[in-house]
Every structure is written in C-alpha cells, then in structure tokens.
Amino acid sequence: MLSDRQKEQLSAEMVPLFQELEQDIIQDIARRVRKEKRWTETAELQAKALEAMGYKPMEIRNKVMRELKADKEYQAMIAKNTLEHKRAVRERIKQLIADAKAHGDDIVGRAGTMAFSDDLAFWKSRGRHLRYSSELAEINRTATKRLAHELKNLTHSTGFKFIGAPIREDRAFSYAMDSMVMNVASGGFSSGQAVEKVVSDLEKSGIRHVDFGSGISRGIDVAAALAVRTTLGQMAAEISMSNANELGTDLVEVSSHAGAREGIGCASHVDWQGKVYSISGKAHPEEEKRLGYKIEKLSDVTGYPDDPTGLCGYNCRHTFYPFIEGISEPNPIEKDPEPVTIDGRTYTYYQATQVQRRIERELRELKRQYIGGDETRLAAIKAKEQRYARFCRKAGLKQNLERLYVKGYKRDFEYIKPIKDKSIGDFRDVISDFYDKGVTKFNDLDRFYLGKLPKVNSNPLLDGSNVYIEGRSLNRVLNKHGHEMSKEEFLFVEDTLKSPDYYADNFKRHENSLILFKKLPIKDERYMECIFVKRGNSKVIHFHKMGNRKLRKLEKEGNLIDIRK
C-alpha cells in the first residue's frame, strides 16, 4: 500500500508542470492587454469629456462601453488577439500533455513499485510471501492510461474566476479589455491603474479547472495534484486486492485517519473507516465474534470500486490491505483530536484543516501576484506565512510545504518558524530604546502583549481577554505621535487598556471596535485615546494623546459611556 505522505509527495511532482502552463498563459494575456493600453487611454479621455458635459457616472460608463464596442478597429483588435492567444495556448497545452504523460508514467511506475515493496516487506515480517504476478504489470499500465486521460481532461475545461461566474480561458483577453475600459469609464481608475488591476486579478485567480455547469472551480495545479493522488490511491487499492487474492483471504481492513469526511451513505467515510470487510460478502461468524462486530461486504458499505464518493474515490485518503482471518490483529481507529481554541475561536480538527487549506490558497495567490511583478505583495506573503505557521502550531497541524509551493517563487524546504509573541516587558524595552536611544528594534510581524481588557457585562467586547499590538501598528503610532508624547505618556496606554475611564463604539469605522479613553495624570484636561478591534484576539490599532473636545462631543451625542459609574 501507499502511505498518505507518499501519495502527497508523488502528486506534488506534477504541480510545477501545470503552474508553468498557468504562468505562461497569464503572461501572454498580460503582454497583450499592456500592448493595447491605448484603448483604455481613449476611454479615459472620453469619460472625462462626458463628465465635463454633465453626464452621470452610470451614463458615462454605458456610453463609453457602447461606443467602444461599436468601433470596428476595436472589434478587429479583440478578434486578432483572441485568435493569436488561442493558438499560443493550444500549442502550449499540446506540449504540456506530452510532458505530463511522460512525467505521469514515471510517477505511476515508481508508486507501483513502492506499493508492492511495502506490502512485500509487511507480509514477509509475518511469515507470508507474496509473488510478483503479471496482474501487477497490467494494474500499472491501466493506471498510467487513466492518469494521462485525467490530466488531458483538465486542459479541456479551464478558465478564470473573478467576481461572478467563471470566464472561459478563450474569452479571457476579451473580458480583460472590457474590464479595463469599464473601470476607466467608471472614473475609479486611471488607464494605467486599470491595466495593472486586471493583470493582478488574473494572477490572483490563476488558471482554474472549471465545471461550467455548476460554476465550481479549483486551481489547475491543485486539480492536477488531486488527479495524481486519486489515481495512485486507486492503483494501490488494486494492488492490495491482487495481494489479498495471492494470500487467499476474503477479508480486508480499511485504514483510518483523523478528519475523515462526513456525508450520506458511502460518502460518509467516518462511518466505514477502520473496519474489516469481506470482499465477496460471505459470512465469517468466527471472525465476527473475535472482532466484536458484523463483517459486511466491502462494496455495499464503502462503495469500492464504483462509487466516486466512496473508498478510493476522488481525493480519498483511505486505503485497504489484506486481513488474515484468525491471525491479523486490527489497527485501532484513529480518532479526531479534541477541539482547539485559537484566538478566541474553537475549531474541530476538520474545521482547523479547512482553515489551513484556505491560508495555503491565499499564500499561493499572493505568490502568483508577486511573480507577476507586484513586489508590494512580499510583505503580505511574509505576514501570511507567519499566520500560517502560528495557526498550524496552535492547531497541532503539520505545515504542508508542497501545498505552499508556486513555481518561480523561491522554495523554502524548511518549515516556517513562527515569530514568538513579545511580552509587556519587551514592549517597554522597545519604547525605552525609542525615547532613550532613538532606535527601534522590532519588525512589523511582532505581536506585543499589553495586558487584559476590563470585564464589563454591558459590553461583550470588554470581556477581560488579552490585548495585543502588532509591530506594524506600533511602528505607525511611534512615527506619527511618538514625538508628541513623553515616554511615560506613551506607556500610559497600558493603564488605558486595563482600566479606562470611558468608552465609545467605533463600529462605523471598524467592525467589532471600541475607543477607550483615560485621563492622563497631569493638570490640564488631556486624555489617552486607544482604539482596539476584536478579531479573535483584541488588537490595538492606534492610540495617541488628545484634548477633551472629542469626549464632550461624544457625551453630547449620548455615545460616551462612563465605566467608573
């Protein structure tokens, strides 16, 4: 059999081929829309002229789009570029299919050898001997054909996912031009900004394998990895079935893993995993007594081999292996770990893995944009990597480096090391360095613990929870207000958070946000204003020294709450 880790690593070898196709297609569209930038410049001039004449924004947009689409030269440009792009993509896909087939044959060949070798060693250690049969070679040939077919099919249904319905790949250039003109005509973007926005949208989406009937899509690199993983799982299952026949047993044991799917019937993997089943469906009363449960027919309960939602179906991580009646000992069923609470929110194991997958997708999107030339994404990548590392550590999940990989972005073969949270003592040291030495020794990804909020029953945001400030927020406060306050006044933010005099809602500017106020220990009416947002943990996003005018206004409006009362 093949372990889940082996299937993951082998399927990751196919990903770079499809990512390279994705990058080539996006770069071709980007080159073409940048070359035709003059059309957005024309639209920009038309929009400004119509605005000067008193037209409303909606009227401007509709008029510009209508006139441009009626322009014969514009129509000819769209048709020419679309045709050239389709030809280029057709040739590129033809090359990909040949490369993927050769690569897939190699992957399947190695996987077949691994699966049989693992089974051979396992049964040899238990005094049983397997022979290599001609059936195994046929299983290998069938798997290579199946994989080549699956990978070829991926290229027949590709597109981009923007807001709304997916766009077919062969309409991407036309859609990109229309989108650019629409943005310029709406007055929200200059012609240059409109071009770069549509390129960024293409990179963020990436080429996707799309079911245009349902609108469901996934990245083509992810779809390719799933196709390989599913094929390898099915091949390993067929080898196990051949081995069961060779060993003369009618029983097989299905593996188990944490986070197994829930569903209805065969699709509910959590219900049938970890049990022993009969291949033929015949009764095994003595073994049922030994195991303590009824042995059912494998195909009836799990759907193997015909149900794509069941055992060894699409993206199933389970496998099975021969089980010798009266001799083999069943493996314990792997249970889900206990739920974990991270940043104030509780996750089951399955929910935590879904969050992990979402962050992995977001990281790949950012890396594609960075590769496409948007260097501003580098800071966002670093921050997202830290969030990923922290979440995995707190959820007890292993980082999956294969799922973070994007061809063209430097590959890190080591696990991301999360930056440890800083203490309140570290915060005080940083402020002392700023005021006493004129230096700042921290980075934007640091998180400084500032204490606990007060607990106020009338407001759920003041719940006694921990409160932090991120390095980027602290840096912004120091640069903007550091020289307006003394060191003692700056450090007074700790007292403001722990025991404020007043608070006011800040929901108009930030969801789940409050403004806290506390009078500074000086003669005149000066206060510390501190804004925090509740997103899992409570995070301070800004604070500074101020007069009492804002408090008087809030009190007059009835929006200021006096905690002391």
Side-chain angles (χ1 to χ4, degrees):
M1 67 177 188
L2 286 174
S3 70
D4 200 42
R5 182 65 181 153
Q6 286 172 321
K7 286 185 282 187
E8 187 79 36
Q9 289 176 325
L10 287 166
S11 61
E13 293 181 19
M14 188 63 73
V15 168
L17 286 179
F18 282 80
Q19 288 183 343
E20 194 169 351
L21 168 74
E22 175 181 68
Q23 290 165 18
D24 287 349
I25 291 175
I26 292 173
Q27 286 167 13
D28 185 75
I29 298 173
R31 177 178 60 79
R32 292 176 188 280
V33 296
R34 285 173 176 142
K35 185 180 71 174
E36 303 297 345
K37 182 183 172 184
R38 68 186 181 91
W39 293 101
T40 57
E41 292 170 347
T42 301
E44 187 175 17
L45 292 172
Q46 288 176 328
K48 287 180 179 178
L50 291 169
E51 185 181 17
M53 292 166 63
Y55 281 84
K56 294 178 181 178
M58 184 65 75
E59 294 173 329
I60 294 172
R61 188 178 70 182
N62 292 340
K63 189 172 176 59
V64 170
M65 288 298 296
R66 189 167 55 248
E67 290 182 5
L68 192 62
K69 288 203 162 193
D71 189 308
K72 298 292 185 186
E73 191 181 350
Y74 181 79
Q75 292 172 8
M77 179 275 295
I78 292 289
K80 176 177 178 290
N81 276 284
T82 299
L83 181 60
E84 290 176 352
H85 175 68
K86 285 169 73 173
R87 283 174 180 163
V89 170
R90 195 182 305 124
E91 286 301 311
R92 186 64 185 80
I93 287 177
K94 187 177 177 182
Q95 177 191 337
L96 170 78
I97 290 170
D99 292 345
K101 184 183 183 308
H103 211 54
D105 290 353
D106 177 62
I107 289 172
V108 169
R110 285 187 287 130
T113 301
M114 281 183 196
F116 182 74
S117 297
D118 287 351
D119 287 354
L120 189 69
F122 175 82
W123 288 108
K124 187 177 180 180
S125 68
R126 284 157 177 77
R128 301 266 176 158
H129 296 279
L130 290 171
R131 291 179 302 169
Y132 189 89
S133 69
S134 58
E135 187 182 357
L136 297 176
E138 182 57 32
I139 290 171
N140 191 296
R141 280 193 294 272
T142 303
T144 57
K145 287 179 182 178
R146 186 190 306 143
L147 179 58
H149 176 73
E150 289 290 329
L151 295 176
K152 187 175 181 179
N153 277 349
L154 291 182
T155 65
H156 290 168
S157 186
T158 56
F160 290 90
K161 184 72 173 75
F162 304 111
I163 295 173
I167 302 297
R168 291 183 183 277
E169 196 284 320
D170 58 6
R171 289 196 57 243
F173 175 76
S174 174
Y175 177 88
M177 290 300 301
D178 288 352
S179 179
M180 290 190 306
V181 173
M182 183 82 75
N183 284 332
V184 167
S186 300
F189 297 85
S190 68
S191 59
Q193 289 171 332
V195 171
E196 296 312 314
K197 181 184 185 305
V198 79
V199 172
S200 178
D201 287 345
L202 290 166
E203 288 160 349
K204 186 176 181 181
S205 163
I207 295 286
R208 306 185 74 77
H209 174 245
V210 184
D211 180 339
F212 286 98
S214 65
I216 296 172
S217 70
R218 54 167 44 94
I220 195 168
D221 54 342
V222 174
L226 287 180
V228 176
R229 198 152 53 237
T230 301
T231 300
L232 297 184
Q234 291 169 345
M235 181 183 68
E238 288 166 12
I239 291 173
S240 287
M241 194 65 81
S242 173
N243 291 340
N245 184 55
E246 177 72 21
L247 291 165
T249 180
D250 179 54
L251 300 179
V252 291
E253 182 181 9
V254 174
S255 65
S256 67
H257 64 78
R261 271 177 235 178
E262 296 181 2
I264 299 172
C266 298
S268 187
H269 296 203
V270 71
D271 292 329
W272 47 249
Q273 70 169 355
K275 295 179 183 177
V276 173
Y277 296 94
S278 166
I279 298 169
S280 67
K282 73 177 185 181
H284 295 268
E286 293 302 316
E287 194 66 4
E288 287 177 350
K289 286 181 184 178
R290 186 169 81 95
L291 297 177
Y293 58 82
K294 181 176 174 57
I295 297 175
E296 299 177 274
K297 188 176 181 180
L298 180 69
S299 58
D300 288 349
V301 179
T302 69
Y304 180 83
D306 299 320
D307 191 332
T309 68
L311 175 61
C312 299
Y314 191 63
N315 199 30
C316 176
R317 292 170 52 195
H318 292 98
T319 189
F320 60 85
Y321 26 83
F323 190 87
I324 308 298
E325 186 169 356
I327 297 175
S328 296
E329 290 297 327
N331 292 301
I333 296 177
E334 189 173 342
K335 303 286 187 181
D336 281 7
E338 290 298 313
V340 293
T341 300
I342 303 171
D343 295 340
R345 183 174 175 180
T346 301
Y347 300 89
T348 64
Y349 178 81
Y350 178 76
Q351 289 170 336
T353 60
Q354 294 307 103
V355 172
Q356 182 187 29
R357 296 288 172 266
R358 192 193 75 229
I359 301 173
E360 288 164 355
R361 286 195 301 272
E362 291 169 350
L363 262 170
R364 290 195 301 271
E365 287 176 7
L366 289 169
K367 289 176 180 179
R368 281 197 298 268
Q369 291 174 307
Y370 178 76
I371 292 167
D374 188 354
E375 295 187 359
T376 63
R377 295 296 178 187
L378 188 58
I381 290 171
K382 298 297 183 187
K384 188 73 71 176
E385 284 179 337
Q386 280 299 307
R387 185 186 171 199
Y388 178 73
R390 275 186 177 134
F391 185 86
C392 288
R393 177 170 57 82
K394 291 182 178 180
L397 300 173
K398 192 174 182 180
Q399 295 179 31
N400 195 323
L401 300 182
E402 283 85 5
R403 293 180 188 264
L404 300 179
Y405 175 60
V406 173
K407 186 175 174 62
Y409 186 84
K410 65 177 183 65
R411 185 165 189 180
D412 191 350
F413 287 94
E414 295 182 359
Y415 294 113
I416 302 163
K417 295 178 181 177
I419 298 172
K420 291 182 180 179
D421 290 341
K422 307 290 186 180
S423 67
I424 198 163
D426 294 322
F427 172 75
R428 292 167 185 161
D429 290 342
V430 163
I431 304 310
S432 294
D433 285 341
F434 175 80
Y435 281 98
D436 299 341
K437 302 174 185 177
V439 297
T440 52
K441 296 179 181 178
F442 64 94
N443 66 60
D444 284 356
L445 301 178
D446 283 333
R447 288 201 323 169
F448 294 90
Y449 171 69
L450 295 179
K452 291 182 180 293
L453 293 167
K455 194 163 187 176
V456 178
N457 293 332
S458 58
N459 194 304
L461 297 184
L462 295 172
D463 58 357
S465 61
N466 295 332
V467 62
Y468 297 83
I469 186 167
E470 293 180 342
R472 58 182 176 177
S473 298
L474 179 57
N475 197 39
R476 187 167 57 246
V477 176
L478 281 170
N479 288 333
K480 191 170 183 179
H481 300 294
H483 297 288
E484 299 171 3
M485 296 184 274
S486 66
K487 180 168 70 173
E488 290 71 23
E489 288 172 336
F490 201 99
L491 292 171
F492 193 69
V493 67
E494 295 178 34
D495 296 298
T496 306
L497 290 165
K498 294 174 188 174
S499 57
D501 296 336
Y502 308 93
Y503 75 84
D505 285 340
N506 193 39
F507 284 20
K508 288 183 179 179
R509 297 195 65 183
H510 300 283
E511 188 179 356
N512 292 339
S513 176
L514 291 179
I515 311 175
L516 305 179
F517 303 94
K518 188 173 181 68
K519 189 176 182 302
L520 285 160
I522 51 179
K523 292 181 181 179
D524 58 344
E525 288 290 307
R526 306 288 284 177
Y527 290 82
M528 180 66 75
E529 177 189 63
C530 182
I531 303 170
F532 81 88
V533 177
K534 183 81 169 178
R535 291 176 188 152
N537 283 319
S538 298
K539 295 194 299 185
V540 171
I541 58 174
H542 199 69
F543 62 90
H544 67 106
K545 182 172 69 173
M546 53 168 277
N548 64 359
R549 185 188 304 174
K550 185 171 183 178
L551 269 75
R552 290 202 305 270
K553 182 183 177 184
L554 288 167
E555 187 175 26
K556 189 175 180 180
E557 294 170 347
N559 294 326
L560 188 69
I561 309 298
D562 189 339
I563 295 178
R564 300 168 301 177
K565 294 181 180 179

